[in-house]
Amino acid sequence: MEPDSLCTISYVFALIISLLVIRVTYVLYWTGRPFKRAPTTSLRTMIVLGSGGHTAEMLSIVNVLQKDKYAPRSYVAALTDNMSLQKAQVYEESLLNSENNVEKKGGAQFMQIYRSREVGQSYITSIGTTIVAIIHAMWIVLKLRPQVILCNGPGTCIPLCACAYLLKLVGWRWSTIIYIESIARVKKLSLSGFLLYKLPLADQFFVQWPLLQQKFPRSQYAGRVM
Amino acid sequence: MGERKGVFVTVGTTCFDKLVAAVDSEPVKAALFRRGFSHLQIQIGRGTYIPSKVAGEVGGLEVDYFTFSPTIADHLTAASLVISHAGSGSIFETLRLGKPLVVVVNEDLMDNHQAELAEELANRKHLFFARGPHLLAQTIESMDLESLVPYTPGDPKHIADQIDAFFGFTSQGEGSVPNGEKEKEPA
């Protein structure tokens, strides 16, 4: 190879690296910083549902959100969890039927996502299913293009948040990740919570017990939801 | 005849045979009968242990069971005492109805973080807590229903306000403390 082209390649390489560093720093800087000005349009919101208690907590939060600001909404739950999406569907229908509803437009979307690992699945096969789950998560994020992601702990939220964060890094779309740790976590964070807190992917991180907030000072305590 | 006082046992959507078996055992039934309860309704969920159905008889507890029901709320409302697995859904549904609650932890679950919640709520005197089905009879014998403190449900609005504040949808909310809810540290 000519010394000239070698030189060019190393320049380009250095440029890419520095651009990447600048971008990562920029994203890290803005992670967790509140918006200076309120968005003029509503925010496309993706709500990740867990099961049982997780779903009940999440829907109680969605219930008190300003529905016209966080719209259109989409709900994502694990493929093996039919109950959660059903509950969300019943809830969204009840909104449409209520008299003083402001948004007839759009309507909510409901999607199911592959789980990276089912309970009891072997670790070897779970490598394959994890890859499938990540690709599926990327497809869902690209399709729904969420500006806000609300999640509260099921493992399914990790590939979704990671994909959204990756798209944020490459500058394709900015999405704000809001994590509300389950009320069941009194002394320790869940694995999902721990990852989103430490990496740090979450812009807003709520816990529901004051003691847990003290252990994780960047988290916020704003009371319990249940 | 005194009033009929029922006990409702629920395992939610889980399989918790050890709890059903414990509730169906003589020591627990005797303890419940001594505490003035007249009948026992057991929701066995995905479990395979089938409790013995007992029709009302003098000097004993009436026992009935079912697997799942869309009307769990009715059973909770009708009950004078609830015995539940440690799932947060069952716990908060029962507490909201103001029913005395005994939570029994399933020690066989691998990631048993649910014990955390039940334990914390027991420390705050909102419920009674048995660390395993084998301690249920003892818990029923010794529980003092008068000592229970009613649970004040939380308000998700505080979190919603903080989210709104983040996006600038509202000016207030930033750094606000939930009204009068600044919790004290447990000793």
Side-chain angles (χ1 to χ4, degrees):
Chain A
M1 205 181 278
E2 306 249 332
D4 245 14
S5 62
L6 200 68
C7 201
T8 318
I9 287 171
S10 55
Y11 272 132
V12 169
F13 193 66
L15 189 72
I16 290 172
I17 293 289
S18 22
L19 279 177
L20 207 66
V21 168
I22 290 168
R23 179 64 194 172
V24 171
T25 317
Y26 176 83
V27 171
L28 276 176
Y29 176 80
W30 283 105
T31 296
R33 273 172 212 269
F35 284 30
K36 282 206 185 101
R37 209 176 303 146
T40 47
T41 54
S42 62
L43 298 168
R44 255 192 313 282
T45 304
M46 179 166 94
I47 298 149
V48 188
L49 297 175
S51 55
H54 282 299
T55 301
E57 285 181 47
M58 185 52 90
L59 289 180
S60 78
I61 294 165
V62 174
N63 187 36
V64 294
L65 285 179
Q66 305 179 52
K67 304 296 177 307
D68 54 328
K69 302 275 199 319
Y70 303 92
R73 288 176 295 283
S74 49
Y75 295 84
V76 182
L79 202 58
T80 44
D81 174 19
N82 295 318
M83 293 285 285
S84 295
L85 280 189
Q86 248 175 45
K87 280 180 195 153
Q89 242 152 355
V90 168
Y91 173 71
E92 285 290 335
E93 272 162 29
S94 75
L95 284 182
L96 283 177
N97 294 334
S98 69
E99 295 208 2
N100 54 350
N101 90 85
V102 267
E103 40 128 15
K104 272 271 197 289
K105 58 174 192 244
Q109 259 185 299
F110 304 89
M111 293 192 82
Q112 290 183 302
I113 184 169
Y114 287 109
R115 277 173 70 156
S116 44
R117 187 167 173 272
E118 293 297 339
V119 177
Q121 192 187 332
S122 82
Y123 282 100
I124 302 204
T125 56
S126 66
I127 295 173
T129 47
T130 301
I131 293 169
V132 172
I134 290 171
I135 294 169
H136 194 209
M138 185 54 96
W139 184 78
I140 287 177
V141 172
L142 286 171
K143 188 167 188 283
L144 297 177
R145 294 180 296 139
Q147 292 163 297
V148 182
I149 299 177
L150 286 176
C151 49
N152 70 345
T156 39
C157 76
I158 289 297
L160 289 166
C161 290
C163 290
Y165 195 81
L166 196 68
L167 294 177
K168 185 146 86 169
L169 280 182
V170 300
W172 188 77
R173 173 164 303 280
W174 192 274
S175 47
T176 303
I177 297 172
I178 296 170
Y179 185 82
I180 304 115
E181 183 60 282
S182 163
I183 194 165
R185 302 297 179 156
V186 182
K187 295 173 190 156
K188 280 185 352 192
L189 292 180
S190 64
L191 181 60
S192 308
F194 189 79
L195 289 173
L196 290 181
Y197 181 87
K198 285 290 177 190
L199 283 174
L201 301 191
D203 292 274
Q204 270 196 309
F205 193 100
F206 293 97
V207 293
Q208 298 191 48
W209 296 98
L211 251 153
L212 199 52
Q213 197 279 328
Q214 284 171 14
K215 281 190 192 167
F216 297 91
R218 279 187 285 114
S219 68
Q220 296 179 63
Y221 168 72
R224 286 168 276 115
V225 304
M226 300 300 276
Chain B
M1 267 310 262
E3 56 171 331
R4 282 170 53 79
K5 282 168 71 185
V7 181
F8 180 55
V9 182
T10 177
V11 304
T13 52
T14 68
C15 168
F16 194 179
D17 276 341
K18 282 185 181 167
L19 174 60
V20 179
V23 166
D24 195 36
S25 71
E26 266 324 302
V28 170
K29 285 201 277 196
L32 286 172
F33 190 73
R34 270 199 298 279
R35 298 297 307 250
F37 296 101
S38 57
H39 57 287
L40 185 57
Q41 180 76 254
I42 311 172
Q43 185 256 323
I44 63 172
R46 293 193 289 112
T48 50
Y49 178 92
I50 304 297
S52 44
K53 268 197 192 194
V54 181
E57 55 185 72
V58 182
L61 207 62
E62 191 182 315
V63 182
D64 199 2
Y65 70 89
F66 61 90
T67 53
F68 292 103
S69 164
T71 57
I72 290 286
D74 295 348
H75 289 284
L76 290 173
T77 310
S80 302
L81 174 73
V82 178
I83 298 173
S84 167
H85 73 126
S88 67
S90 302
I91 291 179
F92 287 110
E93 202 174 348
T94 308
L95 291 182
R96 261 201 303 275
L97 290 167
K99 299 289 175 176
L101 170 64
V102 180
V103 169
V104 183
V105 171
N106 188 351
E107 295 162 299
D108 296 340
L109 291 180
M110 281 208 300
D111 172 30
N112 202 356
H113 69 268
Q114 286 181 327
E116 267 182 31
L117 175 67
E119 206 171 2
E120 178 67 25
L121 293 171
N123 287 342
R124 291 165 183 246
K125 300 232 174 294
H126 298 310
L127 51 82
F128 301 105
F129 173 66
R131 194 181 291 278
H134 60 288
L135 296 170
L136 181 57
Q138 192 187 318
T139 309
I140 292 166
E141 295 275 9
S142 63
M143 65 185 181
D144 172 16
L145 295 179
E146 299 296 310
S147 72
L148 284 178
V149 176
Y151 179 77
T152 316
D155 185 357
K157 195 79 184 71
H158 300 305
I159 287 178
D161 285 347
Q162 299 279 322
I163 297 174
D164 277 342
F166 186 90
F167 292 115
F169 286 138
T170 44
S171 52
Q172 46 114 55
E174 187 70 47
S176 82
V177 177
N179 45 357
E181 235 214 306
K182 191 81 181 152
E183 299 213 19
K184 280 193 264 11
E185 280 315 303

